Amino acid sequence: MATPGGFDPAAGGPAGPTVPAGPTGPAGPGGPGGPTNVGLAPNVAAALCYVPLCCLNIIWAVYVVAVEKQSRFVRFHAFQSLLWAGALFAAGLAVAIVSAISGTLGMILNVLLLIVGVGGSLFLAFKAYSNEQFELPQLGALAKQWS
């Protein structure tokens, strides 16, 4: 193993030339290691699509969908994030209707929706940051088709 200065103690001499990774990284163009148009590493750009912070994830995902043309990995996560946000919004409307009928049941469902929404978003952000293309049932297939 070569030291930072290029000396290989095992061989007793200078280390051989090192070949840096290409611009597309190990996964090839469009993969988790490929280039992006948004100026961030693909895993960071994909993870930001899910971060549940005051709708910034939705704004970022819309920006990525509009700008990103190179990385299908980042586009997939942007589309899946938007679909996830839409599903949470629809579930929130359903909980609001239940709350109007039964306040106690609505409150319980509201807490459960908050836990599922934040927990699911953080889980998806972690998977995206780990360079995994985790597909949610139904939503993931649609996001893959759109990306």
Side-chain angles (χ1 to χ4, degrees):
M1 184 169 129
T3 62
F7 181 77
D8 188 357
T18 59
V19 180
T24 59
T36 66
N37 293 110
V38 294
L40 294 172
N43 63 331
V44 174
L48 286 175
C49 292
Y50 296 109
V51 175
L53 185 63
C54 192
C55 295
L56 289 178
N57 57 339
I58 296 171
I59 295 167
W60 177 253
V62 168
Y63 172 74
V64 167
V65 166
V67 171
E68 183 59 49
K69 303 298 180 210
Q70 293 182 6
S71 177
R72 290 180 60 97
F73 175 76
V74 176
R75 286 181 59 84
F76 165 79
H77 283 291
F79 278 119
Q80 183 166 266
S81 169
L82 290 172
L83 290 168
W84 172 247
L88 290 175
F89 180 77
L93 288 177
V95 168
I97 292 170
V98 170
S99 291
I101 297 168
S102 170
T104 305
L105 181 61
M107 184 175 65
I108 293 169
L109 290 177
N110 218 349
V111 170
L112 286 175
L113 183 60
L114 177 69
I115 292 169
V116 168
V118 172
S121 294
L122 291 176
F123 171 78
L124 290 168
F126 174 76
K127 288 292 190 179
Y129 189 75
S130 300
N131 288 321
E132 292 183 45
Q133 191 163 323
F134 182 83
E135 292 185 24
L136 290 169
Q138 303 300 320
L139 302 180
L142 192 56
K144 192 172 195 177
Q145 178 184 351
W146 289 351
S147 65

